[in-house]
Amino acid sequence: NAGVMQNPRHLVRRRGQEARLRCSPMKGHSHVYWYRQLPEEGLKFMVYLQKENIIDESGMPKERFSAEFPKEGPSILRIQQVVRGDSAAYFCASSSGPGDATDTQYFGPGTRLTVL
Amino acid sequence: EDKVVQSPLSLVVHEGDTVTLNCSYEVTNFRSLLWYKQEKKAPTFLFMLTSSGIEKKSGRLSSILDKKELSSILNITATQTGDSAIYLCAPANAGGTSYGKLTFGQGTILTVHP
């Protein structure tokens, strides 16, 4: 059973370019969470999605950042017009949904974004 | 705002020592508390705790939750160099659209010397 997959693992962008980060949840999981880990800081929640729905985007910057989880295909975190401050590790986690035994989130390996 | 404080921030021990890592939290709608181990990659799930006073155990690691004190501890006995990592605790939210959202502490950096 494959775990959470993220690609690319490393992404280098110049200021002003767009970054697209992909996340495929574990098989059977329909809940996806995105977290960001800035250098020397802890993991911070960004957005929570279910298939075709954004449930909670309270942790996502209002501008330049967007996320989606289409009916088919991976979840995408999109950062437009990247700036140096966007350099971080972006982790995706998935769970099978609400319920005591099922809301454990399993993390992918992360995408390390470097903005030059 | 939800808050999580872990202590100590860093810890250096020798193989064979026992360590206790602490986590205190303030969460408006507490559901459960999760512990993760992070090496140079993704956080790896260790434990999920939902009930006070019930110890969860996995090999040399164990953890317990105290909902009255809003805290949890993670114990590692007979430490090994492979235990060197950042240990993260994260309470999960139970409220509405924030359901399941994890708030992470800053982590405890554990270094185990041979």
Side-chain angles (χ1 to χ4, degrees), chain A residues 4-7 21-26 32-34 68-69 73-77 91-94 108:
Chain A
V4 179
M5 312 271 283
Q6 287 188 251
N7 69 79
L21 287 62
R22 293 174 187 75
C23 168
S24 296
M26 281 177 74
V32 166
Y33 303 80
W34 285 93
E68 63 176 10
F69 189 12
S75 174
I76 308 277
L77 179 69
F91 289 97
C92 161
S94 73

Side-chain angles (χ1 to χ4, degrees), chain A residues 8 10-14 17-18 82 112-116:
Chain A
H10 299 274
L11 183 61
V12 178
R13 284 287 178 267
R14 296 193 180 279
Q17 292 184 318
E18 179 181 287
V82 296
R112 274 145 186 86
L113 173 66
T114 302
V115 179
L116 301 177

Side-chain angles (χ1 to χ4, degrees), chain B residues 39-110:
Chain B
E39 295 165 276
K40 288 183 182 177
K41 44 188 180 175
T44 306
F45 171 74
L46 295 175
F47 298 109
M48 183 174 76
L49 306 160
T50 52
S51 302
S52 259
I54 298 175
E55 185 183 54
K56 289 218 172 173
K57 206 167 162 60
S58 176
R60 297 175 294 101
L61 276 67
S62 63
S63 185
I64 197 161
L65 178 67
D66 186 337
K67 282 183 175 178
K68 194 173 171 186
E69 296 295 324
L70 305 183
S71 67
S72 176
I73 61 171
L74 175 70
N75 283 313
I76 309 175
T77 59
T79 52
Q80 302 170 357
T81 54
D83 295 327
S84 296
I86 301 172
Y87 289 85
L88 301 165
C89 84
N93 197 295
T97 57
S98 293
Y99 186 95
K101 164 186 166 184
L102 296 178
T103 300
F104 281 89
Q106 71 274 48
T108 293
I109 302 170
L110 175 64

Side-chain angles (χ1 to χ4, degrees), chain A:
Chain A
N1 183 16
V4 179
M5 312 271 283
Q6 287 188 251
N7 69 79
R9 297 288 303 275
H10 299 274
L11 183 61
V12 178
R13 284 287 178 267
R14 296 193 180 279
R15 280 179 296 170
Q17 292 184 318
E18 179 181 287
R20 277 186 183 237
L21 287 62
R22 293 174 187 75
C23 168
S24 296
M26 281 177 74
K27 190 175 178 183
H29 285 189
S30 59
H31 296 244
V32 166
Y33 303 80
W34 285 93
Y35 295 86
R36 177 165 68 173
Q37 190 169 39
L38 292 165
E40 309 302 324
E41 289 189 23
L43 283 151
K44 296 274 193 278
F45 168 80
M46 297 182 75
V47 61
Y48 164 32
L49 309 107
Q50 294 176 26
K51 285 281 186 182
E52 299 184 279
N53 284 305
I54 296 174
I55 307 302
D56 180 358
E57 56 184 345
S58 59
M60 202 150 71
K62 295 281 184 279
E63 296 180 358
R64 304 187 297 107
F65 284 74
S66 61
E68 63 176 10
F69 189 12
K71 192 175 175 182
E72 302 288 338
S75 174
I76 308 277
L77 179 69
R78 183 178 175 214
I79 311 172
Q80 294 178 288
Q81 298 176 311
V82 296
V83 301
R84 289 222 174 101
D86 297 331
S87 295
Y90 292 82
F91 289 97
C92 161
S94 73
S95 73
S96 56
D100 287 335
T102 56
D103 61 3
T104 298
Q105 293 179 30
Y106 295 91
F107 280 78
T111 293
R112 274 145 186 86
L113 173 66
T114 302
V115 179
L116 301 177

